[in-house]
Amino acid sequence: MLRARLTLVASAALVGCSLPGQRADFASRDPAERTLAVARAAETTDPESLPALIRLLESDDPAERMLALRALEKRTGQTLGYDHCDSEPRRAEAVRRWVAWQRATNPGAAPTSSGSTGR
């Protein structure tokens, strides 16, 4: 599963396209559509995608958390101590740092949750 997802992200990032009928959507129930949204967000400077990437750090899926972190790191140059493999309490603490960072750097952006995404 992880290999397939990483392949999808690499393909989308390298060629800038998606599978027919597939869309990039952070809120989709389809993991491939969320992954495509992360890949596109990694390649943009649009600050509006940062809150969505931060929310994905709370995903139940470690691969999704890793991809979101790599996109954030590419965009910001930092991880704020977040590790996608840490325990839930340590990840939650790091997510709070990301939320504080986002509020400090872009106070007008959409609010970032501090609860579970349920994925």
Side-chain angles (χ1 to χ4, degrees):
M1 175 80 164
L2 176 59
R3 180 173 284 168
R5 193 172 283 181
L6 289 174
T7 300
L8 176 64
V9 168
S11 298
L14 291 174
V15 296
C17 65
S18 62
L19 298 174
Q22 197 168 43
R23 58 193 169 94
D25 184 356
F26 284 109
S28 175
R29 292 176 104 17
D30 181 351
E33 290 181 355
R34 291 192 307 272
T35 300
L36 187 57
V38 171
R40 288 191 179 162
E43 299 303 319
T44 184
T45 58
D46 174 22
E48 297 300 314
S49 62
L50 292 173
L53 289 170
I54 293 168
R55 280 191 299 274
L56 284 179
L57 296 177
E58 299 174 301
S59 172
D60 291 337
D61 183 342
E64 197 164 81
R65 295 191 306 259
M66 179 191 68
L67 294 172
L69 178 64
R70 293 301 158 233
L72 285 165
E73 185 176 22
K74 182 174 183 178
R75 298 266 308 270
T76 68
Q78 54 194 344
T79 65
L80 300 183
Y82 183 92
D83 183 335
H84 72 282
C85 291
D86 270 346
S87 66
E88 192 280 327
R90 290 186 68 149
R91 290 192 323 266
E93 182 180 318
V95 168
R96 284 191 291 276
R97 288 192 296 270
W98 273 109
V99 170
W101 174 88
Q102 185 252 326
R103 287 181 180 151
T105 59
N106 194 3
T112 304
S113 76
S114 59
S116 174
T117 63
R119 285 195 259 288

